């Protein structure tokens, strides 16, 4: 998601520029009525595309995610807040099969994240990918979560 929003914004601005360029030609050059209507249609399309595409990407971008371990109810809550809506997921502690540090090689450097595996086999990322400098912190977090779950 990191590069999708800037990419959509750049393409959106390009589409708006194409649309406005069509409007400029529409009113400054001598064209037949059919050509003017076609330019009006194309200019409107590109202008709308330039506004709608980045807006749709922005509205669907995950803005925040909160994980809450509720010992009393024995449930792990995951709340994802987006621009206009909020999604809530519940995972009972009994469904948690494993919590571990996942390693991935990225451009010859190792990156790490905390990953939770459910009994169904589904994997959930509890943290984003972090560099080696965060490995110790994430291992400590895993130890705390395991201790919390086994109390």
């Amino acid at each position: 998601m990191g590069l999708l929003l800037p990419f959509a914004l750049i393409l959106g601005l390009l589409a708006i520029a194409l649309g406005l360029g069509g409007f400029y030609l529409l009113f400054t050059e001598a064209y037949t009525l059919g050509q003017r209507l076609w330019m009006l249609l194309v200019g409107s399309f590109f202008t709308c595309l330039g506004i709608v595409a980045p807006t749709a990407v922005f509205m669907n971008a995950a803005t925040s995610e909160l994980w809450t371990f509720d010992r009393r109810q024995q449930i792990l809550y995951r709340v994802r807040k987006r621009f206009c809506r909020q999604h809530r997921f519940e995972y009972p502690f009994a469904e948690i099969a494993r919590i571990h540090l996942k390693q991935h090689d990225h451009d010859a450097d190792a990156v790490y994240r905390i990953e939770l595996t459910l009994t169904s086999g589904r994997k959930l990322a509890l943290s984003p990918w972090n560099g080696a400098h965060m490995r110790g912190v994430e291992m400590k977090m895993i130890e705390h979560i395991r201790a919390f779950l086994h109390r």
Side-chain angles (χ1 to χ4, degrees):
M1 182 65 209
L3 291 177
L4 187 59
L5 186 59
F7 183 70
L9 288 174
I10 290 169
L11 287 180
L13 290 174
L14 179 64
I16 290 173
L18 285 172
L20 294 179
F23 288 131
Y24 174 77
L25 290 175
L26 177 67
F27 295 111
T28 58
E29 301 292 326
Y31 291 103
T32 65
L33 180 62
Q35 290 172 328
R36 284 180 183 252
L37 288 175
W38 176 249
M39 290 176 68
L40 181 64
L41 178 69
V42 170
S44 299
F45 171 76
F46 278 110
T47 302
C48 289
L49 180 69
I51 293 169
V52 169
T55 303
V57 170
F58 174 73
M59 290 179 70
N60 285 320
T63 54
S64 70
E65 191 169 75
L66 177 67
W67 294 87
T68 306
F69 290 84
D70 188 344
R71 181 179 292 144
R72 197 167 30 100
Q73 295 184 5
Q74 298 287 305
I75 293 177
L76 169 62
Y77 295 102
R78 175 185 182 195
V79 178
R80 267 182 135 168
K81 293 181 182 180
R82 295 186 182 218
F83 181 71
C84 291
R85 59 185 179 249
Q86 177 175 317
H87 299 284
R88 183 178 171 148
F89 305 94
E90 296 180 1
Y91 308 100
F93 287 178
E95 287 186 21
I96 299 173
R98 180 177 178 220
I99 183 164
H100 64 282
L101 192 64
K102 171 86 173 183
Q103 179 180 344
H104 176 70
D105 292 325
H106 178 72
D107 295 335
D109 291 329
V111 290
Y112 304 90
R113 75 175 177 193
I114 299 173
E115 197 168 82
L116 190 80
T117 306
L118 302 177
T119 54
S120 64
R122 185 172 175 203
K123 297 179 188 292
L124 305 171
L126 289 178
S127 68
W129 291 107
N130 291 305
H133 66 285
M134 291 294 290
R135 185 174 192 270
V137 172
E138 290 185 342
M139 287 301 293
K140 198 67 146 168
M141 287 174 65
I142 289 173
E143 290 173 18
H144 287 298
I145 293 170
R146 284 180 181 155
F148 179 84
L149 291 174
H150 295 296
R151 283 189 189 170

